[in-house]
Amino acid sequence: MALLQITEPGKTAAPHYHNLAAGIDLGTTNSLVATVRSGLAETLPDIKGHHLLPSIVHYVKNETPQIGTAAKQYAHTDPLNTIASVKRLMGRGLKDIKTIGTRLPYDFVEKEGQGMPMIRTVAGELSPVQISAEILKNLKQRAEDSLGGALTGVVITVPAYFDDAQRQATKDAAILAGLKVLRLLNEPTAAAVAYGLDQGAEGIHVIYDLGGGTFDISILRLQRGVFEVLATAGNSALGGDDFDRVIAQWMMQEANIANDAQQSHIRELMDIARTAKETLSTQDTASLNIQLADGLQWHGTLNREQLNTLIDPLIQKTMMPCRRTLRDAGLTLDDINEVVMVGGSTRMPRVREKVGDFFKRTPHVNIDPDKVVAIGAAIQADILAGNKPDGEMLLLDVIPLSLGIETMGGLVEKIIPRNTTIPVARAQDFTTFKDGQIAMTIHIMQGERELVLDCRSLTRFELRGIPPMVAGAARIRVTYQVDADGLLSVSAKEEISGIHSDIIVKPSYGLQDNDIEQMLKDSLKYAKEDVITRNLREQQVEADRVINALRAAITTDGHHLLKHQEFVTINIKLDELLRIKESKDAKSIKKAIEQLDEVTQDFAARRMDYSIRQAMQGRSVDEFSEN
Ligand code: ADP
Ligand code: MG
């Protein structure tokens, strides 16, 4: 059956007056909000002039929590109520958290079952979504104060590797903060947009993002105005904090601070280290002044060369994922067009130098690397809010793997093929297989292969209450809809009776990029075999259908519409089909079906006549001719 495109949601209505829209970079270390004013995208400062909001929330009993710099100072004194890096917990289950959580000093509430773990604070048990919402509320307020009105909508960025659950959690946090999410945008894509790469030539771009605690590398391909993430890799425990730590350790050595003292002072020392590190991005030397509570004092200097020696091994660690993404995407350095730097740590001259050496290209650094993601998000938000004249291209993402449905014989019918731009909705009609069938299972599949066994099962649901009809009479329309954030919902409706059922494919079904890559490779590798298997399965299903229908016909009408000899001939062919059906040869099955069709033709014609006569019985011919 042909694919029908029924609607194309997400098309914005006619442009209004200027709508207030903003882009938000909800970062692990720092968050920002940006907007387009007079055609220019810029990040918005707080009243003190700070653009970066540290992603830290400090909870106080019976009071509104403090956010950002105000919260940061409590990290040492009230660690259990001062929540930082909450992004690491978004959309993760207790099992994931156990690995990450050991590095996070919070009081997790251990509750079995699904969902994100809660954190116990003086303000009660809080979910990562609630904590993130506090950061978003703060940015919303900042934007509305500075723009002088309510925001129509926002674009929020997420790492490219975020799965459905993590994306959904981010959206939930936004809703909780009273924000309307126009869409979620991948961070590397936002950075590429900020540099206007989407307006430029088609090509392949590398986004190198080194933040406070994480490193992400993404390879994007721009094709026909659509960015596709070809590969991502990274290190979720590598970033500016690690630079601070090696500097702090060096200082302790220099200052002869004993190792046991180290534990109690590490945070303070790391703060001093960070200031020095940031100074050294623009100056040649930085002075270090340690003055600890227990009376310990030390003064010294750190120069850029010494710094480079300390951090080179860490920068080197980012090169392995760079190599891996290239390999995963099947690319060489020559294929790369542009390299974009993202994240506060790429302000360091040494990082820029090493990345330039590796990719053999001067990376883009003109836009502040810690603001570039928010700026790209603001540009997207401006377009999505309808502030751009028609014709301005809307940046679109594509679905990485085909979405399909299980059909008879364990086959997968693709409903939305891979690389379709989103948002999209597609519908396809199906029918019942058996007479009197009153329910149908809709099994939603993801992948490129032909068999259910080789694809990934997303979920299944049932359409019940189909009125009993003969096989093939019901018309069940199944609609797949993927919204702009990549979230899938599926509905099924029996068109004659109007009964329907739907499901939102629950988050937590996300695929890692490695899985996607593997599934694509397999689909190419097995393409030929798959076609053969599909043919075979289709013939087997058709054989079953013919056999079932014939048996039913013989049961009802065989005794009075078939001569004995005919009955014998049909039975011989029927047995033959039953036997051949189990073979592995689609052609022979097809032939056996045709032969059975041939010997049953007369019987079918007689049944048709008979049913017409039955229908006319007791009514005059006049009655019919009037119609
Ligand atoms: P995230 O994306 O993880 O939220 P950011 O992109 O804001 O984080 O990066 C924060 C990191 O950038 C911190 O480790 C900070 O010390 C570092 N950083 C910020 N400015 C500079 C600078 N001028 N030189 C070196 N590192 C910097
Ligand atoms: Mg970031």
Side-chain angles (χ1 to χ4, degrees):
M1 256 172 271
L3 294 179
L4 308 170
Q5 175 127 359
I6 51 172
T7 61
E8 183 92 82
K11 293 238 163 104
T12 41
H16 293 270
Y17 297 106
H18 195 82
N19 286 316
L20 298 181
I24 293 178
D25 172 5
L26 186 59
T28 312
T29 318
N30 294 303
S31 298
L32 294 104
V33 60
T35 195
V36 174
R37 272 195 288 206
S38 320
L40 214 69
E42 54 186 8
T43 53
L44 301 172
D46 64 8
I47 38 171
K48 288 189 184 147
H50 300 301
H51 291 249
L52 271 62
L53 177 73
S55 305
I56 305 176
V57 183
H58 176 233
Y59 286 95
V60 191
K61 200 167 180 169
N62 299 329
E63 278 177 44
T64 46
Q66 292 154 301
I67 322 290
T69 315
K72 203 171 179 176
Q73 52 184 315
Y74 295 98
H76 313 305
T77 53
D78 189 16
L80 290 185
N81 296 304
T82 310
I83 317 297
S85 299
V86 69
K87 186 173 180 177
R88 292 181 185 279
L89 307 176
M90 292 289 273
R92 310 306 295 271
L94 194 60
K95 237 184 16 224
D96 309 309
I97 306 295
K98 287 234 168 96
T99 43
I100 317 164
T102 48
R103 282 185 279 116
L104 297 174
Y106 311 128
D107 187 4
F108 288 106
V109 183
E110 298 251 347
K111 258 188 215 141
E112 281 314 312
Q114 285 184 331
M116 284 168 263
M118 310 283 277
I119 297 173
R120 204 175 279 119
T121 73
V122 285
E125 291 177 6
L126 299 164
S127 77
V129 168
Q130 286 171 296
I131 299 164
S132 295
E134 293 297 341
I135 298 167
L136 290 172
K137 268 189 232 168
N138 187 288
L139 294 173
K140 174 177 189 266
Q141 193 59 50
R142 181 192 294 192
E144 294 184 341
D145 287 349
S146 128
L147 299 175
L151 286 176
T152 328
V154 293
V155 167
I156 301 180
T157 56
V158 290
Y161 60 79
F162 254 28
D163 65 18
D164 265 10
Q166 292 168 299
R167 284 167 199 263
Q168 190 63 58
T170 306
K171 273 187 131 180
D172 291 346
I175 293 166
L176 208 55
L179 289 167
K180 179 170 186 286
V181 181
L182 298 170
R183 79 182 285 191
L184 300 180
L185 184 66
N186 286 334
E187 286 164 13
T189 308
V193 169
Y195 276 102
L197 297 183
D198 54 323
Q199 309 294 316
E202 301 199 332
I204 291 168
H205 308 307
V206 168
I207 317 293
Y208 180 101
D209 181 350
L210 190 59
T214 55
F215 168 62
D216 298 311
I217 180 92
S218 316
I219 299 182
L220 305 182
R221 176 167 59 198
L222 177 69
Q223 211 170 27
R224 280 173 269 122
V226 175
F227 276 112
E228 184 189 356
V229 181
L230 294 181
T232 66
N235 186 335
S236 57
L238 179 64
D241 297 346
D242 299 280
F243 295 178
D244 304 345
R245 193 169 294 108
V246 290
I247 299 168
Q249 280 160 352
W250 174 84
M251 286 194 298
M252 285 188 295
Q253 254 175 15
E254 295 288 302
N256 265 323
I257 302 176
N259 253 351
D260 48 342
Q262 178 178 338
Q263 275 335 84
S264 48
H265 297 311
I266 187 80
R267 287 255 130 231
E268 282 168 88
L269 291 170
M270 278 177 69
D271 282 346
I272 298 167
R274 184 177 348 98
T275 310
K277 172 191 76 176
E278 295 180 2
T279 306
L280 287 172
S281 288
T282 47
Q283 286 163 34
D284 291 332
T285 55
S287 57
L288 304 164
N289 293 306
I290 301 180
Q291 217 151 14
L292 299 178
D294 56 10
L296 203 144
Q297 287 195 16
W298 179 78
H299 302 288
T301 56
L302 180 68
N303 64 34
R304 207 183 261 182
E305 225 167 292
Q306 290 168 303
L307 173 72
N308 291 350
T309 316
L310 289 172
I311 63 172
D312 271 353
L314 293 170
I315 301 176
Q316 199 50 39
K317 269 180 136 179
T318 67
M319 298 307 159
M320 213 191 356
C322 291
R323 232 168 269 129
R324 196 168 71 231
T325 44
L326 280 171
R327 201 181 54 224
D328 286 352
L331 298 170
T332 66
L333 286 173
D334 294 335
D335 298 315
I336 306 300
N337 295 98
E338 310 285 346
V339 178
V340 171
M341 293 297 237
V342 179
S345 299
T346 65
R347 286 175 180 273
M348 302 178 83
R350 187 64 154 188
V351 173
R352 294 178 175 182
E353 182 189 326
K354 292 285 178 189
V355 173
D357 288 349
F358 181 89
F359 288 103
K360 300 193 168 67
R361 249 162 220 72
T362 311
H364 287 281
V365 295
N366 294 344
I367 305 177
D368 281 348
D370 36 22
K371 296 181 182 162
V372 63
V373 166
I375 285 174
I379 294 171
Q380 269 297 287
D382 192 46
I383 299 172
L384 285 167
N387 292 333
K388 286 278 171 170
D390 278 355
E392 180 89 15
M393 254 258 293
L394 186 62
L395 182 78
L396 296 167
D397 273 336
V398 296
I399 59 162
L401 289 170
S402 301
L403 294 166
I405 189 170
E406 174 172 355
T407 59
M408 294 301 297
L411 293 171
V412 177
E413 179 93 32
K414 295 197 178 84
I415 294 194
I416 305 181
R418 118 183 190 78
N419 271 343
T420 302
T421 53
I422 53 175
V424 65
R426 296 256 169 106
Q428 192 162 348
D429 289 339
F430 293 91
T431 189
T432 44
F433 182 76
K434 281 197 190 127
D435 287 344
Q437 187 177 339
I438 52 164
M440 188 180 213
T441 299
I442 316 284
H443 187 191
I444 303 166
M445 309 296 304
Q446 185 177 38
E448 307 312 305
R449 304 281 302 275
E450 301 285 344
L451 297 186
V452 167
L453 279 177
D454 298 321
C455 286
R456 182 186 152 96
S457 165
L458 290 182
T459 186
R460 57 178 94 216
F461 70 105
E462 289 205 340
L463 178 67
R464 294 180 168 280
I466 303 171
M469 287 178 248
V470 292
R475 254 170 62 88
I476 291 134
R477 170 154 296 189
V478 178
T479 307
Y480 278 41
Q481 180 157 356
V482 182
D483 72 11
D485 306 314
L487 297 172
L488 168 69
S489 54
V490 176
S491 65
K493 182 180 180 199
E494 203 289 307
E495 300 278 325
I496 299 164
S497 60
I499 59 136
H500 59 88
S501 171
D502 43 33
I503 195 165
I504 291 172
V505 177
K506 285 260 163 46
S508 88
Y509 293 110
L511 281 179
Q512 296 298 314
D513 282 304
N514 293 350
D515 299 335
I516 294 178
E517 204 62 34
Q518 192 53 46
M519 288 173 90
L520 290 177
K521 279 183 190 144
D522 284 352
S523 77
L524 294 174
K525 193 162 134 202
Y526 298 112
K528 210 169 144 199
E529 275 171 49
D530 277 4
V531 170
I532 294 169
T533 318
R534 168 175 276 274
N535 270 335
L536 176 64
R537 292 284 177 98
E538 278 175 354
Q539 289 307 327
Q540 286 172 331
V541 170
E542 177 63 7
D544 280 339
R545 192 190 62 76
V546 169
I547 292 164
N548 284 339
L550 182 59
R551 280 180 171 160
I554 292 175
T555 311
T556 44
D557 294 326
H559 59 283
H560 63 109
L561 295 179
L562 276 181
K563 294 193 196 89
H564 180 69
Q565 190 49 48
E566 284 174 326
F567 181 71
V568 172
T569 315
I570 288 173
N571 256 326
I572 291 171
K573 290 293 176 199
L574 187 64
D575 282 345
E576 210 167 291
L577 179 58
L578 276 168
R579 187 173 48 77
I580 291 174
K581 185 176 79 94
E582 300 309 323
S583 77
K584 295 268 170 282
D585 183 10
K587 264 200 192 133
S588 319
I589 302 175
K590 190 163 183 236
K591 212 167 134 209
I593 293 172
E594 282 164 6
Q595 285 176 353
L596 184 61
D597 265 353
E598 227 167 84
V599 299
T600 55
Q601 254 174 25
D602 284 348
F603 177 44
R606 260 174 254 155
R607 287 192 74 218
M608 183 77 83
D609 288 346
Y610 179 74
S611 69
I612 292 171
R613 274 204 313 274
Q614 287 290 98
M616 284 168 45
Q617 231 164 43
R619 304 182 196 181
S620 72
V621 176
D622 288 350
E623 224 179 304
F624 280 91
S625 52
E626 271 167 27
N627 293 331

